[in-house]
Amino acid sequence: MGTIVGNLIKKYRKEKVIPQKVLCDGICTVSTLSRIENGIYMPSLMQIEVFFSRLGKAVPYNLVPVTFRERKIYNIKTAISMIYDNRDPKRKMLLDELKECLSENDFLTKQYYLLVWGIYISQFDERLEEARSIFINALNITEKKYEEISTEKIDLYSTTELSLIINIAHVEYYIYEIQKEKIDYKESAIKTMEFLKTYYEKNVEDYLQKTIYSSVIFMLTNWYGLDKNYEKSLELSSKGIKITNESAYLFSRHIFNKGYSLASMGNIKEAELKFSLSLNIIQMMENFGDKEFLIGVIKKRFNIDISSKLLSLK
């Protein structure tokens, strides 16, 4: 198994012309990566996830032997990923289970734990500045400095690292929304999201990671819309619709955002079609709270009553 996994890492790395020191940066030494690629050393599951996600590839879980502890951590991570509402009490219970699995030497699991913990406190009781600090400190674990993010620098990021960067930007923009004087946070957030958009377009092939890319597009669409840059928002929402094929939730939101941009630009007829399609999808997902909220947004902002265009589920 070690030889197969190592060969795949070497194959993908060479196809993308990536130096070993770039792929293993912050994870292990170059000599350790050489041993992994030559089948001499079997990396941990978390290391494998980092290598493959940095290469933009799907993790070959069927080829990876795991310990009991790694299986438990994997199951907890999977369960967390299936809870959409970050304020769900089950998420806190799973976080506590994950915390019990942490070991002093497993810095990658600690990094993931801090990611989910930061998301939880930012959503549950809006400890935004604290969450931002947690995300930045977690990113530093693998020596990826937030202030050094740049398209000029040759660098690769794991799924966890990318999620940390996204959440730093998201929290910064949220803080700006609350404290309008923090214009530097707004500028930083948009710049970071534009970087992430470019990064995904250049480096990521795995469809699971592209769900995160879709989230990046969604947030940028919202932020440009809030800035009343409706043409840019329309362009991004159209891109989001094209690339989103794994998440009905994001798909419905991209359609809604396209309708919002169209309505803001005066194209009410086409906007109504987008709104009704989006809200019907949301209704079929039984997200009734979201549906009623968005109906209210449309009514207040554009004086459009979309209720009659929704399907009856009775």
Side-chain angles (χ1 to χ4, degrees), residues 132 146 169 172 183-193:
R132 181 178 180 273
Y146 181 57
E172 284 183 340
I183 191 70
D184 57 323
Y185 270 16
K186 173 187 174 182
E187 292 171 353
S188 171
I190 293 175
K191 181 181 177 182
T192 299
M193 283 296 175

Side-chain angles (χ1 to χ4, degrees), residues 178-243:
I178 296 170
Q179 306 171 31
K180 293 294 184 181
E181 70 274 11
K182 289 219 171 188
I183 191 70
D184 57 323
Y185 270 16
K186 173 187 174 182
E187 292 171 353
S188 171
I190 293 175
K191 181 181 177 182
T192 299
M193 283 296 175
E194 286 287 2
F195 161 79
L196 287 163
K197 175 179 172 291
T198 301
Y199 180 88
Y200 273 98
E201 289 167 353
K202 286 184 176 180
N203 298 292
V204 177
E205 299 169 26
D206 176 29
Y207 77 92
L208 290 174
Q209 291 189 67
K210 284 192 175 178
T211 299
I212 306 177
Y213 170 49
S214 182
S215 298
V216 169
I217 298 295
F218 175 66
M219 281 186 266
L220 273 175
T221 303
N222 288 341
W223 296 350
Y224 281 121
L226 287 170
D227 261 358
K228 298 185 179 180
N229 188 343
Y230 299 121
E231 289 184 359
K232 184 70 173 176
S233 183
L234 180 62
E235 174 193 333
L236 287 167
S237 61
S238 298
K239 178 186 282 288
I241 292 168
K242 289 178 182 177
I243 65 169

